Amino acid sequence: MNFKVTPLSAGLYLVATPIGSARDITLRALDVLASADIIAAEDTRTARKLMDIHGVALNGRPLVAFHDHSGDGAVKRLVADMAAGKSLAYVSEAGTPLIADPGYELGRAAAAAGVPVTTAPGASAVIAALTVSGLATDRFAFVGFLPSGKKQRETEIAALRDTPFTLVFYESPKRLHGMLDSLREVLGDLREAVVCRELTKRFEEVSRGSLADLVQQFDGRAVKGEIVVLVGRAGAQVVDDAMIADALRDAMQTMRVKDAATAVAGALGLPRRQVYQQALTLEADE
């Protein structure tokens, strides 16, 4: 038994849980789970299993579900419990609550009601992926999940083209290859990227290379598990009018002029207005 049961003051405790290996939980997280008056969880089965592994007994304390589909009523009940003097530990299924996981509405409502909100920090797939990626970590932007539709996805990628940070995405296994192909289409073949799969788990895999390399690596491959995709920051490149025109001709074969201009501007790191004007001229000439 590596935890201690001590009284907690009333408030909300956001508890990070392992993203794979159960041993990655912190001692403070176990203390909070062992001591809180109420435990709320995105998945109560996962929470109960984690507590059983570490010998944390409920001892009659309530373990309640709180997830993306919990309504305002659930938020109000939990905030009322905390306002009445109860301590509440909240855990998402894996990782840090609120980081592409539920908990935001609960945390915001607790703060608005004057209830103390604190964190028991720990595992996060975003940070774990950054540390093993080999990409720059001094500045990064967490994007989360991109849209599933190709057009919407590539428009959003184009808007991120010149962001001077390492970009971090989550993606589902079934959409991974399509996402990588969209990244390559918009950002170019040579942009450095990394795919992290099943971090801290038995089949952990880190694949590094250019976007063109990764598209080829995952083409036709059945992939399982939790996925984090990282893309290196853009490098400077010299672009002339002929290069823009060639890129526009290719894009305009499958896209409207406006969408083609957005994609090409993002891929080449140019102002969209400039590329759009050139696209209009090219359309008129051809």
Side-chain angles (χ1 to χ4, degrees), residues 6 8 64 183 197 199 251 263 284:
T6 56
L8 296 176
V64 301
L183 287 168
R197 186 177 70 86
L199 289 172

Side-chain angles (χ1 to χ4, degrees), residues 5 30 42-44 60 77-78 81-82 84 97 103 105 110 154 160 171 200 219 272-273 283 286:
V5 180
L30 293 175
E42 179 184 8
D43 187 321
T44 56
R77 285 193 296 273
L78 293 175
D81 286 335
M82 292 183 283
E105 296 297 341
E154 293 186 354
L160 295 166
E171 191 51 279
T200 79
D219 186 18
R272 183 187 172 281
R273 179 177 296 180
E283 182 186 39
E286 297 186 356

Side-chain angles (χ1 to χ4, degrees), residues 66 99 106 118 143 175:
F66 186 85
I99 308 301
L106 180 60
T118 189
V143 183
R175 298 204 312 242

Side-chain angles (χ1 to χ4, degrees), residues 231-246:
V231 178
R233 62 189 59 167
Q237 58 179 317
V238 178
V239 180
D240 58 25
D241 287 344
M243 182 184 296
I244 300 172
D246 288 343

Side-chain angles (χ1 to χ4, degrees), residues 31 50 58 72 103 113 138 145 167 169 175 181 184 199 216 222 227 257 274 281:
D31 292 345
L50 180 66
L58 279 172
D72 290 341
D138 55 332
F145 288 93
L167 301 175
F169 304 90
R175 298 204 312 242
D181 196 46
R184 181 189 61 80
L199 289 172
Q216 185 174 12
I227 306 288
V257 172
Q274 171 192 338
T281 302

Side-chain angles (χ1 to χ4, degrees), residues 100-111:
D101 271 329
Y104 169 75
E105 296 297 341
L106 180 60
R108 185 173 176 83

